[in-house]
């Protein structure tokens, strides 16, 4: 199958990976790798997979995937490049032209509505129209006020058939943080916690390395790769001296090819933005308070103030998805202010056996059971010997 830059990234990294291609596919749907497209839904799910492979490296832009199917049923692919690189649709068109294929009359699948304004790049709709694309299939429209349906309108005005909403559930799940950031002006906030079964994140003497297993810690590095920024408190920096970088990932993590590429220091000349994406795998590091000059988290960005004002400022700074890794004071403040959009909790089969260890959240909590916060568990699974629980705030109309 002909391939675009996202596919080429995977192929270049695979030369250095220790795991086989079969292992790379076990944990995530990759339905079209080496196969034919049988439906619009197939193509859109493939586009989602491509976008997930660059998630965390494209901020402030969304991690879009695109699949181009020519009139001869040739398939070309693309994913958003790190700024100031190309958008996914342009990458897919470029892959087709590089292979000598004519995109005229082709169908273009893209997870997000093509942009219609000039920003770091020219409008994608101009390139789509100029290429003679006959049909564009869009997962979801873009709520960004610069787009907000204008891309779809412009394509239709150019007499291009446009279908919106194909595999929308999968696209919404993938792009949820970006859509949230554009609609609320706040980054999507993910709180990661690692604790014993009785809810302690550290012993009374402050030691916490390690409560969970190596498998759980590698999985948590996947969260870092997924998010474009991470926030910790200065107290956590002083106590644990974390580096907050991505150093290990499960073999099937969608970012594993980028990690392998970075570790191997490969420089595929045919994919000019692959190196940039690999180098952006580590999230931007923010510290609430003052970080010691010699701390491993350096270089970092120090912020101060109440979190209800800090978090929106991070969105203004281009943060789309923010991972919070500690400590208990930050976790408690964010929770009480209703600023957490996703909770990821790793529970180890261990007990602190008392109430003098550090809790998951510090501060004043609910005073009555009637005031307990209730969420919705979206996923529960084993990671090595530990449990991983993913929870979202309950919908407003939930009991």
């Amino acid at each position: 199958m002909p391939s675009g830059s996202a596919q080429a990234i995977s192929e270049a990294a695979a030369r250095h990976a220790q795991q086989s291609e079969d292992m790379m596919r076990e944990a995530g749907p990759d339905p079209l790798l080496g196969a034919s497209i049988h439906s619009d839904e197939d193509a859109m799910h493939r586009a989602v997979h491509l976008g997930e492979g660059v998630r965390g490296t494209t901020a402030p832009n969304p991690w879009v995937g695109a699949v181009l199917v020519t009139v001869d049923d040739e398939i070309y692919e693309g994913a958003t490049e790190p700024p100031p690189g190309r958008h996914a649709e342009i990458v897919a068109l470029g892959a087709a032209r590089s292979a000598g294929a004519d995109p005229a009359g082709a169908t273009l699948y893209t997870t997000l509505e093509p942009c219609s304004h000039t920003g770091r790049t020219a409008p994608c709709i101009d390139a789509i129209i100029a290429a003679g694309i006959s049909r564009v299939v869009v997962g979801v429209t873009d709520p960004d006020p610069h787009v907000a349906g204008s891309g779809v309108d412009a394509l239709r005005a150019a007499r291009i058939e446009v279908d919106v909403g194909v595999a929308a559930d999968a696209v919404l799940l993938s792009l949820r943080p970006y859509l949230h950031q554009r609609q609320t002006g706040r980054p999507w906030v993910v709180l990661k916690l690692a604790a014993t079964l009785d809810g302690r994140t550290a012993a009374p003497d402050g030691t916490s390395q390690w409560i969970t297993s190596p498998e759980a810690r590698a999985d948590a590095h996947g969260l870092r790769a997924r998010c474009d920024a991470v926030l910790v408190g200065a107290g956590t920096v002083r106590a644990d001296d974390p580096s907050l970088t991505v150093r290990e990932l499960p073999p099937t993590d969608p970012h594993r090819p980028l990690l392998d590429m970075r570790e191997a220091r490969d420089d595929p000349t045919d994919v000019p933005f692959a190196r940039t994406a690999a180098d952006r795998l580590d999230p931007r590091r923010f510290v609430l308070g003052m970080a010691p000059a010699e701390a491993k988290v350096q270089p970092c960005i120090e912020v101060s103030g109440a979190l209800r004002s800090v978090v929106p400022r991070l969105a203004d700074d281009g943060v789309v998805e923010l991972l919070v890794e500690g400590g208990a004071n930050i976790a408690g403040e964010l929770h009480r202010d209703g600023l957490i959009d996703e909770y990821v909790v790793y529970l180890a089969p261990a007990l602190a056996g008392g109430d003098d260890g550090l809790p998951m959240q510090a501060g004043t909590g609910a005073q009555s059971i009637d005031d307990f916060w209730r969420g919705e568990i979206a996923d529960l699974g084993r990671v090595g010997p530990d449990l991983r629980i993913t929870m979202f705030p309950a919908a407003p109309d939930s009991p």
Side-chain angles (χ1 to χ4, degrees):
M1 181 202 311
S3 59
S5 71
Q7 180 73 3
I9 289 173
S10 296
E11 290 173 354
R15 293 195 296 267
H16 306 284
Q18 299 300 309
Q19 289 72 26
S20 68
E21 187 177 60
D22 289 338
M23 289 181 66
M24 291 293 292
R25 297 181 195 170
E26 283 176 4
D30 194 1
L32 301 178
L33 192 59
S36 298
I37 291 176
H38 300 292
S39 68
D40 288 347
E41 288 74 16
D42 281 348
M44 191 61 71
H45 280 288
R46 174 61 182 166
V48 169
H49 184 87
L50 293 167
E52 283 294 311
V54 297
R55 184 172 177 173
T57 70
T58 64
N61 296 329
W63 43 97
V64 177
V67 174
L68 180 73
V69 182
T70 70
V71 294
D72 297 321
D73 289 328
E74 294 177 313
I75 302 169
Y76 300 90
E77 301 175 338
T80 305
E81 294 173 337
R86 301 169 295 173
H87 292 185
E89 304 95 319
I90 309 305
V91 175
L93 285 169
R97 292 193 175 102
S98 294
D102 184 0
T107 296
L108 176 66
Y109 299 86
T110 178
T111 53
L112 190 68
E113 175 184 11
C115 67
S116 54
H117 66 288
T118 299
R120 294 179 182 85
T121 64
C124 289
I125 59 165
D126 291 353
I128 294 170
I129 294 170
I133 301 296
S134 63
R135 180 173 178 245
V136 177
V137 181
V138 176
V140 297
T141 55
D142 190 342
D144 187 296
H146 293 102
V147 188
S150 62
V152 168
D153 291 343
L155 293 173
R156 287 174 173 160
R159 300 186 181 279
I160 295 175
E161 179 184 353
V162 181
D163 293 315
V164 179
V166 171
D169 287 347
V171 176
L172 287 169
L173 184 62
S174 173
L175 292 177
R176 190 175 182 180
Y178 167 78
L179 301 173
H180 167 88
Q181 195 249 30
R182 288 298 191 270
Q183 291 165 339
T184 67
R186 295 191 292 105
W188 179 267
V189 177
V190 182
L191 175 64
K192 187 218 81 176
L193 297 166
T196 62
L197 280 180
D198 50 356
R200 299 296 157 177
T201 61
D205 65 358
T207 55
S208 61
Q209 298 178 347
W210 299 102
I211 290 176
T212 54
S213 64
E215 294 91 339
R217 297 198 296 276
D219 191 80
H221 279 229
L223 281 177
R224 286 182 190 166
R226 188 191 103 180
C227 297
D228 53 280
V230 61
L231 172 71
V232 296
T236 297
V237 172
R238 290 190 294 270
D240 297 338
D241 197 19
S243 63
L244 302 180
T245 56
V246 178
R247 301 181 302 281
E248 52 185 329
L249 291 172
T252 49
D253 188 281
H255 295 90
R256 183 59 184 264
L258 292 178
L259 179 63
D260 290 333
M261 180 181 296
R262 187 178 68 180
E263 294 297 314
R265 305 310 303 171
D266 188 25
D267 189 14
T269 56
D270 57 330
V271 191
F273 275 82
R275 165 60 52 214
T276 307
D279 287 341
R280 283 176 62 108
L281 193 56
D282 290 336
R284 297 168 66 192
R285 298 182 290 275
F286 291 86
V287 174
L288 185 66
M290 299 287 291
E294 69 280 5
K296 293 178 182 176
V297 74
Q298 297 285 8
C300 66
I301 302 170
E302 296 170 341
V303 294
S304 61
L307 288 170
R308 65 170 64 92
S309 63
V310 168
V311 170
R313 292 206 306 267
L314 297 183
D316 294 338
D317 198 30
V319 175
V320 176
E321 192 167 12
L322 176 69
L323 178 64
V324 179
E325 294 206 40
N329 288 319
I330 288 181
E333 184 178 346
L334 287 170
H335 175 78
R336 288 187 294 275
D337 286 344
L339 295 173
I340 301 172
D341 303 293
E342 181 178 352
Y343 298 74
V344 179
V345 183
Y346 296 90
L347 292 178
L351 297 171
D355 62 1
D356 49 351
L358 190 67
M360 293 188 191
Q361 299 183 13
T364 302
Q367 299 300 296
S368 166
I369 193 170
D370 294 334
D371 299 325
F372 278 15
W373 181 93
R374 303 285 179 176
E376 297 175 348
I377 293 179
D379 185 65
L380 172 64
R382 292 275 302 262
V383 182
D386 305 315
L387 290 178
R388 170 180 158 149
I389 302 170
T390 302
M391 182 172 60
F392 298 105
D397 56 352
S398 298

